[in-house]
Amino acid sequence: MKDNSPRDLEQVVIIGSGPAGWTAAIYAARASLKPLVFEGAGSRTMIPGGQLMFTTEVENYPGFRDGVTGQELMMEMRAQAERFGTRILTEDIVDVDFEQRPLVLRSSQGREVRTEAVILATGANAKWIGLPNEERLAQSGGGVSACAVCDGALPAFRDRVLAVVGGGDSAMEDALYLTKFAREVVVVHRRDELRASRIMADRALANPKIRVAWNKVVLEVLGEGEITGLLLQDTVTGEKSELAVSGLFVAIGHTPNTGFLEGKVRLKDNGYVEMPVPWRTHTSVPGVFACGDVMDDYYRQAVSAAGTGCMAALDAERWLAHGGIAAAAATAAGH
């Protein structure tokens, strides 16, 4: 039986298990750093495998000519990391102490782990409307998604009427992207003007395939095996109506999983981990690195997350090899 027990002092601990976390683990393990991964305990903020566990078909990840399911991709990455000696604990990290050297992590099971370096790969969760049938159809591949770029080109959405919920730049980008495949895109927005920047709003409104359902909120997602429509309510009159659609894309934002990091590492105003040096994965704390959607509020793709996971592992390896521990200890002593 494989021993996943933490050692007295870890070289590197990876928090999170999406494409960024598993890629970091593969690289760190092959560099003989013997990484320990906290993959999450299945809470809404720390999902083993990350958001791809809710994605049915992944057609844009290189190397899979005919596509692959999100679950299959994550299981293959996990197995590859284990093959090189990665140890895995199905627990959340709920608290950290980055003032100490070594760094200290505390898990949801009361476990305390000391480590020389940490890679943050906790990702970000899409914000949902919060409707039961929305969640059910999103998880079953029934035509509800929070990523137009990931799913919009699937055959089920081609030449159909699709809905996008939201009014910001992300919603406009999604709507414009979907016009490449859809017959019509209906933007459902709760107000009478868009929150998007003027250039994005003008671009969307000028597209003949896009129309806006103003002053509308979604009360219910209709359909059993797959989505058939939306039950809308007018925010001004209260009147209810149905909109027939074959797909729903929710674009109301993402929440990075950084709640346990507040006050421990520098975060941006939107909650994402701040990266002080462009094209590096170093955070504001020496020996702490970040990768994937927890630091990327722009691309949010599986392949870009995997790329930054590679970068974080290489940065951590080089930091450890070039005396990063001693330098960090000396800096702490100087304070």
Side-chain angles (χ1 to χ4, degrees):
M1 182 176 177
K2 185 177 177 63
D3 181 12
N4 288 345
S5 306
R7 297 178 169 85
D8 290 340
L9 177 62
E10 299 289 343
Q11 293 183 82
V12 60
V13 172
I14 299 166
I15 309 174
S17 58
W22 290 133
T23 304
I26 291 165
Y27 272 78
R30 292 186 74 251
S32 300
L33 295 180
K34 301 179 176 61
L36 174 65
V37 172
F38 282 86
E39 68 172 344
S43 67
R44 292 191 68 85
T45 55
M46 280 285 287
I47 303 162
Q51 290 298 298
L52 278 186
M53 298 301 286
F54 300 117
T55 302
T56 50
E57 289 295 323
V58 179
E59 294 188 323
N60 54 5
Y61 197 90
F64 296 91
R65 182 188 62 183
D66 299 319
V68 62
T69 70
Q71 295 93 332
E72 288 171 338
L73 180 59
M74 289 301 92
M75 290 302 99
E76 285 296 318
M77 284 190 174
R78 188 185 197 273
Q80 188 176 0
E82 280 195 294
R83 176 191 167 205
F84 293 114
T86 297
R87 290 162 297 132
I88 302 168
L89 292 173
T90 307
E91 301 175 18
D92 296 331
I93 292 297
V94 296
D95 188 31
V96 300
D97 186 346
F98 291 160
E99 298 289 331
Q100 295 189 45
R101 294 288 161 176
L103 307 166
V104 178
L105 310 176
R106 300 181 181 92
S107 83
S108 53
Q109 302 301 313
R111 191 188 306 271
E112 186 169 286
V113 175
R114 297 161 64 247
T115 181
E116 295 167 344
V118 171
I119 295 176
L120 304 171
T122 50
N125 291 338
K127 295 179 181 178
W128 295 95
I129 303 168
L131 304 171
N133 210 31
E134 168 199 35
E135 182 174 352
R136 184 181 69 82
L137 291 175
Q139 293 186 9
S140 67
V144 177
S145 171
C147 183
V149 175
C150 307
D151 301 325
L154 294 175
F157 298 127
R158 289 182 178 271
D159 199 32
R160 304 292 182 89
V161 178
L162 308 177
V164 173
V165 174
D169 280 352
S170 293
M172 297 307 102
E173 290 173 0
D174 284 359
L176 288 163
Y177 178 79
L178 291 171
T179 59
K180 299 177 182 180
F181 317 104
R183 182 167 75 249
E184 181 183 37
V185 179
V186 183
V187 175
V188 179
H189 186 47
R190 62 172 54 245
R191 300 181 178 87
D192 59 2
E193 63 178 339
L194 299 171
R195 294 183 293 104
S197 60
R198 175 60 64 86
I199 188 170
M200 288 301 300
D202 289 348
R203 189 176 299 166
L205 295 174
N207 191 300
K209 281 191 172 184
I210 295 176
R211 69 179 175 92
V212 182
W214 300 106
N215 299 314
K216 298 291 190 299
V217 293
V218 180
L219 292 183
E220 189 176 346
V221 179
L222 307 174
E224 291 300 323
E226 59 185 28
I227 184 173
T228 58
L230 303 174
L231 177 62
L232 304 179
Q233 183 173 40
D234 193 292
T235 58
V236 177
T237 67
E239 181 182 355
K240 296 179 181 179
S241 60
E242 289 190 11
L243 173 67
V245 297
S246 299
L248 169 64
F249 293 85
V250 182
I252 55 177
H254 290 74
T255 302
N257 297 321
T258 54
F260 71 104
L261 295 171
E262 291 184 11
K264 310 298 177 66
V265 65
R266 192 174 302 142
L267 305 177
K268 297 195 291 187
D269 290 342
N270 60 6
Y272 288 79
V273 176
E274 182 177 295
M275 312 306 290
V277 182
W279 289 101
R280 294 292 183 272
T281 63
H282 302 258
T283 70
S284 60
V285 178
V288 178
F289 307 86
C291 56
D293 287 9
V294 76
M295 47 74 76
D296 175 15
D297 57 1
Y298 187 75
Y299 294 104
R300 290 194 294 262
Q301 298 297 303
V303 67
S304 57
T308 57
C310 162
M311 294 164 61
L314 293 175
D315 283 343
E317 178 189 2
R318 290 165 182 166
W319 185 82
L320 291 167
H322 290 85
I325 303 165
T331 300
H335 285 86

